[in-house]
């Protein structure tokens, strides 16, 4: 009887270890998500580079789209990337306004519609995104 319990114990341990490994592998959605991004450089200034993910363009209806963008801050003299920020933006293609509903994975439920205030990077993202709906 001791052999049966020992064998059962080994089977259960193997099962739970396998299950734990599967949970770890499939619960890493941020890694899987980043693998499917199609980053396209949209605009560049001395301060930064603006990208958008062509795979993320989502038509929300009533001329509103949603898209994932990435802003890379760069050193002006070397063009070396200093930091990246990922945004989920909603864009109103009629009024050319936007709101960042998520920044670096943190939801922003109080986001308000804003004008780009002639920010070249934002203007280019808005126009490119609305043209490709």
């Amino acid at each position: 009887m001791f052999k049966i319990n020992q064998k059962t114990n080994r089977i259960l341990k193997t099962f739970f270890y396998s299950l734990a490994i599967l949970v770890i592998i499939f619960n890493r959605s941020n890694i899987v998500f980043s693998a499917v991004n199609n980053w396209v450089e949209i605009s560049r200034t001395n301060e930064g580079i603006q990208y958008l993910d062509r795979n993320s363009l989502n038509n929300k209806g009533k001329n509103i789209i949603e898209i994932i963008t990435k802003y890379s801050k760069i050193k002006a003299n070397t063009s070396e990337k200093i930091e990246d920020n990922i945004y989920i933006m909603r864009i109103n293609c009629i009024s050319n306004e936007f709101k960042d509903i998520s920044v670096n994975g943190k939801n922003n439920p109080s986001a308000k519609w804003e004008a780009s205030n002639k920010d070249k990077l934002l203007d280019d993202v808005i126009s490119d995104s609305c043209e490709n709906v």
Side-chain angles (χ1 to χ4, degrees):
M1 181 142 173
F2 179 72
K3 290 181 183 178
I4 294 173
N5 286 338
Q6 196 174 28
K7 185 176 180 181
T8 304
N9 190 20
R10 254 187 287 137
I11 291 170
L12 285 174
K13 277 185 181 180
T14 303
F15 172 77
F16 285 115
Y17 285 135
S18 300
L19 183 62
I21 290 169
L22 288 172
V23 167
I24 290 169
I25 289 171
F26 289 108
N27 195 28
R28 304 198 66 185
S29 59
N30 58 337
I31 291 172
V32 172
F33 180 72
S34 66
V36 296
N37 291 111
N38 182 11
W39 295 119
V40 177
E41 182 178 324
I42 297 303
S43 192
R44 182 185 289 253
T45 64
N46 288 334
E47 294 81 31
I49 307 168
Q50 190 72 52
Y51 302 88
L52 60 82
D53 175 11
R54 292 260 190 242
N55 293 341
S56 70
L57 187 61
N58 184 3
N59 189 342
K60 303 300 267 181
K62 297 185 180 179
N63 296 303
I64 306 291
I65 59 172
E66 189 172 283
I67 193 156
I68 300 173
T69 66
K70 177 170 68 169
Y71 171 72
S72 295
K73 186 175 181 179
I74 58 174
K75 288 184 182 179
N77 54 348
T78 65
S79 295
E80 176 188 344
K81 286 186 184 180
I82 299 171
E83 106 184 276
D84 285 331
N85 292 294
I86 309 271
Y87 300 86
I88 299 177
M89 294 177 72
R90 287 220 173 123
I91 299 172
N92 183 322
C93 292
I94 298 296
S95 67
N96 289 327
E97 293 179 310
F98 74 97
K99 62 180 172 178
D100 296 327
I101 62 171
S102 174
V103 180
N104 293 328
K106 185 177 179 185
N107 288 337
N108 183 10
S110 61
K112 306 274 188 245
W113 289 105
E114 303 176 50
S116 68
N117 294 323
K118 301 191 191 255
D119 180 311
K120 178 184 177 356
L121 299 176
L122 287 170
D123 284 339
D124 290 349
V125 165
I126 291 169
S127 65
D128 187 277
S129 299
C130 289
E131 287 172 9
N132 288 298
V133 175

